[in-house]
Amino acid sequence: MFKNDELLNLFSSQETPFYYYDLKLLKQTLQSAKKAADKRGFHVHYALKANFNDRLLSVIQAMGFGADCVSGNEVQKSIDTGFSADQITFAGVGKSDKEIVTALKHRIFAFNVESIQELEVINELAGQHGERANISLRINPNVDANTHHYITTGLDENKFGVPNSELEKAAAVIKGCEHIDLIGLHFHVGSQITDMSVFKSLCVKVNEWKSWFEDRGTYIKVINVGGGLGVDYRDPDGNPVADFEAYFDVFDKFLERNAQQEVHFELGRALVAQCGTLVSRVLYTKSGSKKNFLILDAGMTELMRPALYQAYHKIEKIGGDGSEKELNYDVVGPICESSDSFGKEVLLPVSKRGDLIAIRTAGAYGEVMASNYNLRNEIRYLYSE
Ligand code: LLP
């Protein structure tokens, strides 16, 4: 894709670094997800935390997705973008009073509640403001997502969800709260999950917990299984769109439910990761006795994932015909931190100052996690339709 002369021409005149978003690929991805979900009657909320770029959000909203938010500002942004309030969920272990009130005023679809104390606070604030709140209880299913430990969330040792030992008490507290209605259960086991058996294990736990509540006379209308579907960071051109059919099929097959019970998802990465590329220029090349370095004008300030999680992103030189001699490079950024590296020993065509480099699959958790450490410039963008 990046050998394409048209793109090289488009990029050549641009100041770097910038995020390039391929909106055509975004639309294809969204259509594929929507089709697979609609076919099964599933509801998908886009997890804004993956990317809240305005252009992307308006495309996602126009396609009929709901929104999954983790802050009052994300709730407000969803509303401002046109997402309908009755398709907005609000999750997070530490919602402030102000954020809760914002969401109450907008009468969102549901709060995903993570502790007994939070239940009590939402009930109290709803009462004070003359509102009612729908809530889903987040249960920690203790399923190992087999992913990076920083993005595993569903184990007993993680901070997320109401501890299983407190669920009995939570159910009793809810019964005593006048201003909240329990509509469902919420689960999320982690992110960048490519092994479908993890989702099957999740379904087994969801079925158990749903029965547990139903046995106690609590009707569960909404089953929210979170997000987490992974993408192919190694081969973005071979697999530009995640296998939504296979993913939704697991839940369709293994979740026990009746025709009135709704299944909800909160997908972030799988919807936006592949449409984004961080485009950068080589500032300097440097060869030591052991290493060749490509020093880019983009760094961990633009894309933090490699520095923070040792995450792999495919690195490519833009342009060229593929016949050039190749060399192993450590591809690094300009920031004053040793962890500011995009990849070690990356085989690339011999490169020189001014060459353009693409860091692929950067549409999710890229731009949103950027910082202006070292007083870096604001992020720039380029879009293609
Ligand atoms: N729902 C909940 C409750 C979540 O915590 C998350 C992600 C999602 C949905 C969306 O998950 P997704 O479909 O995107 O996997 N910054 C990390 C990823 C952190 C994910 C946090 N939670 C990264 O760059 O890999």
Side-chain angles (χ1 to χ4, degrees), residues 15-306:
E15 192 177 324
T16 48
F18 60 87
Y19 270 93
Y20 163 65
Y21 290 113
D22 178 347
L23 299 181
K24 199 165 147 200
L25 177 57
L26 173 65
K27 283 179 195 157
Q28 278 168 11
T29 309
L30 296 171
Q31 270 156 5
S32 164
K34 196 85 178 72
K35 193 170 153 214
D38 286 354
K39 195 164 120 185
R40 298 168 171 91
F42 290 167
H43 303 257
V44 182
H45 304 259
Y46 167 63
L48 264 79
K49 65 169 84 68
N51 195 325
F52 42 73
N53 174 295
D54 288 335
R55 282 285 288 275
L56 269 63
L57 275 190
S58 55
V59 173
I60 296 168
Q61 182 275 331
M63 297 271 301
F65 287 82
D68 167 45
C69 304
V70 284
S71 70
N73 290 343
E74 283 192 358
V75 171
Q76 190 58 53
K77 181 143 194 116
S78 307
I79 297 282
D80 295 344
T81 309
F83 285 93
S84 116
D86 62 8
Q87 284 184 291
I88 296 178
T89 53
F90 181 18
V93 284
K95 304 176 187 76
S96 71
D97 293 18
K98 191 174 163 197
E99 292 177 312
I100 292 169
V101 171
T102 300
L104 281 170
K105 293 245 151 110
H106 287 301
R107 306 200 166 148
I108 61 163
F109 173 68
F111 290 81
N112 294 334
V113 174
E114 310 229 6
S115 68
I116 292 183
Q117 207 169 23
E118 186 190 331
L119 281 174
E120 292 164 342
V121 170
I122 295 176
N123 182 53
E124 195 183 315
L125 291 171
Q128 276 169 20
H129 290 84
E131 300 286 352
R132 285 196 80 75
N134 283 337
I135 60 132
S136 293
L137 262 196
R138 179 164 182 181
I139 299 179
N140 198 326
N142 202 21
V143 168
D144 191 346
N146 288 328
T147 185
H148 193 285
H149 64 283
Y150 278 10
I151 49 178
T152 291
T153 47
L155 290 175
D156 276 347
E157 65 201 57
N158 296 122
K159 68 179 173 181
F160 301 98
V162 179
N164 295 354
S165 55
E166 298 240 294
L167 283 169
E168 193 93 53
K169 187 170 167 210
V173 169
I174 292 168
K175 289 210 170 103
C177 287
E178 286 182 336
H179 310 288
I180 60 180
D181 298 307
L182 177 69
I183 60 162
L185 301 179
H186 174 236
F187 304 82
H188 173 80
V189 285
S191 199
Q192 184 49 22
I193 297 167
T194 48
D195 173 0
M196 292 298 133
S197 71
V198 170
F199 295 118
K200 185 180 165 190
S201 309
L202 170 62
C203 290
V204 171
K205 293 289 172 113
V206 172
N207 294 339
E208 282 171 20
W209 281 112
K210 194 165 76 64
S211 307
W212 188 92
F213 276 88
E214 286 168 351
D215 290 348
R216 283 158 182 76
T218 304
Y219 176 65
I220 299 301
K221 177 162 173 256
V222 170
I223 307 161
N224 182 337
V225 292
L229 176 63
V231 296
D232 193 342
Y233 281 91
R234 303 256 156 204
D235 188 11
D237 293 321
N239 291 310
V241 179
D243 191 348
F244 295 106
E245 269 294 326
Y247 171 68
F248 288 126
D249 203 43
V250 172
F251 293 93
D252 204 9
K253 278 209 179 88
F254 297 105
L255 270 188
E256 290 160 7
R257 63 200 193 275
N258 65 34
Q260 282 74 47
Q261 285 172 318
E262 299 173 5
V263 185
H264 290 241
F265 294 81
E266 301 168 341
L267 288 176
R269 188 188 317 263
L271 299 179
V272 293
Q274 297 292 21
C275 76
T277 298
L278 177 61
V279 180
S280 177
R281 273 196 178 84
V282 176
L283 284 175
Y284 301 103
T285 61
K286 183 155 87 171
S287 294
S289 54
K290 295 201 178 114
K291 293 267 186 195
N292 301 303
F293 290 100
L294 280 189
I295 302 163
L296 305 185
D297 60 7
M300 62 193 284
T301 41
E302 283 69 42
L303 179 65
M304 199 189 210
R305 304 190 70 255

Side-chain angles (χ1 to χ4, degrees), residues 233-237 312-316 346 358-361:
Y233 281 91
R234 303 256 156 204
D235 188 11
D237 293 321
Y312 174 88
H313 284 260
K314 189 168 188 197
I315 302 173
E316 289 175 319
V346 184
I359 303 171
R360 305 289 306 277
T361 319

